[in-house]
Amino acid sequence: MGERLRLAVGVMGNFASMLLYAAPMLTFSRVMKKKNIEGFSCVPYVLALFNCCLYTWYGLPIVSYKWENFPVVTINGIGILLEVSFILIYFWFSSTKGKKEVAKMVVPIILICVATGIISAFVFHEHRCRKVFVGSIGLVASIAMYASPLVVVRQVIKTKSVEFMPFYLSLFSFLASGLWMAYGLLSHDLFLASPNLVGTPLCILQLILYFKYRKNPVKELEPQKWPDLEYNDDKLKQEFKLEEKKDQSMLVVTENLSTKT
């Protein structure tokens, strides 16, 4: 009974994670249509790829005992394909500088994943030691991935608007995180449960904020000052500086006119 329940939770976790991983398709359909990344950041996808690579390796029989974590392998394997596709699209439509930035992020992550695989396979000879080694690195990657929505949460609290925190994205994040936390606890595997013990409360916070501020009207005067989920802060800062310069020049002109009159 316990094994069937664990497998059922794993299957539901796969479905919820699939919805979560597929969510950026709308973003990249927009990028492909406009042939421009429009200042979107590649960081969330690189972190997600890092997480998927580590946990796919974690779930394979080399690290885990036989196929005890088969659901972990399937969804993270699919996640690797999706995240690689997103990163390649981003790379294709980026500027030369953007391509260099993507390479600087992706290459170290590939090297870390390869090094993790080699060390765990040839240095450690017991499944328990391999799981501790790979799981510890995967834990850091997962926490980094779950920490990224904190920027959005801060912005929602500041603006009292949920315009850039879509309900379904928060819902899918909550479902995936909650189900994988349950799967990890049922499997008595802290390396699967621990990241989601952090992620689940953050997702609940996002849902609470959504229902608190969802009826608030959208501010029409300065929508460009609200960052998108994956929007590059550097571009926003540049826009703010341009706006400030324009405002200052308008004030100078106004003062001169008033002086003349």
Side-chain angles (χ1 to χ4, degrees):
M1 179 65 183
E3 183 63 24
R4 289 183 179 179
L5 177 62
R6 187 178 75 92
L7 183 60
V9 172
V11 171
M12 290 188 289
N14 270 358
F15 181 71
S17 296
M18 184 65 190
L19 294 173
L20 180 61
Y21 286 141
M25 285 183 177
L26 294 175
T27 298
F28 283 93
S29 63
R30 173 180 168 182
V31 169
M32 293 175 69
K33 184 178 180 181
K34 296 190 175 182
K35 298 181 180 181
N36 192 328
I37 60 170
E38 298 182 312
F40 287 104
S41 174
C42 194
V43 173
Y45 312 110
V46 175
L47 289 176
L49 176 63
F50 187 31
N51 182 73
C52 289
C53 288
L54 289 172
Y55 276 100
T56 299
W57 181 248
Y58 182 87
L60 289 172
I62 298 173
V63 177
S64 296
Y65 181 72
K66 295 184 177 180
W67 288 102
E68 62 176 342
N69 287 318
F70 180 71
V72 178
V73 176
T74 54
I75 188 56
N76 284 287
I78 294 171
I80 289 173
L81 295 176
L82 288 172
E83 300 305 331
V84 168
S85 300
F86 296 150
I87 292 171
L88 287 175
I89 294 170
Y90 185 96
F91 185 85
W92 181 263
F93 291 108
S94 293
S95 63
T96 304
K97 183 180 178 181
K99 287 180 170 64
K100 290 180 181 179
E101 293 297 324
V102 174
K104 287 179 182 178
M105 289 186 288
V106 173
V107 171
I109 281 177
I110 293 174
L111 292 176
I112 293 172
C113 290
V114 171
T116 301
I118 293 172
I119 293 171
S120 60
F122 296 104
V123 175
F124 300 104
H125 303 290
E126 296 180 1
H127 287 288
R128 183 180 62 83
C129 296
R130 289 173 178 172
K131 287 180 74 172
V132 170
F133 177 69
V134 178
S136 298
I137 300 173
L139 182 62
V140 174
S142 293
I143 291 174
M145 185 179 70
Y146 280 123
S148 57
L150 290 175
V151 177
V152 181
V153 169
R154 180 177 62 86
Q155 195 68 17
V156 168
I157 295 172
K158 183 179 179 181
T159 62
K160 294 181 173 56
S161 171
V162 294
E163 183 185 9
F164 293 109
M165 191 177 71
F167 170 72
Y168 289 109
L169 188 61
S170 300
L171 177 63
F172 295 156
S173 297
F174 168 70
L175 292 175
S177 186
L179 288 167
W180 285 115
M181 180 181 67
Y183 180 86
L185 293 174
L186 290 170
S187 302
H188 305 289
D189 192 329
L190 289 178
F191 293 112
L192 292 177
S194 298
N196 296 292
L197 287 171
V198 176
T200 303
L202 289 176
C203 295
I204 292 174
L205 175 61
Q206 290 181 55
L207 290 173
I208 291 172
L209 289 174
Y210 180 86
F211 285 107
K212 182 177 180 180
Y213 296 122
R214 66 190 176 93
K215 293 183 179 180
N216 285 10
V218 176
K219 297 179 181 179
E220 297 180 356
L221 294 176
E222 43 184 4
Q224 69 276 16
K225 293 187 179 181
W226 300 347
D228 204 336
L229 284 170
E230 300 140 354
Y231 204 73
N232 194 328
D233 287 339
D234 292 336
K235 186 170 182 179
L236 285 173
K237 290 175 182 177
Q238 292 175 1
E239 291 178 358
F240 293 163
K241 290 179 180 177
L242 289 173
E243 288 175 4
E244 288 175 358
K245 289 180 180 178
K246 289 180 181 178
D247 293 339
Q248 290 174 0
S249 61
M250 289 295 292
L251 286 171
V252 171
V253 172
T254 306
E255 289 175 359
N256 290 337
L257 289 173
S258 60
T259 303
K260 289 180 180 179
T261 55

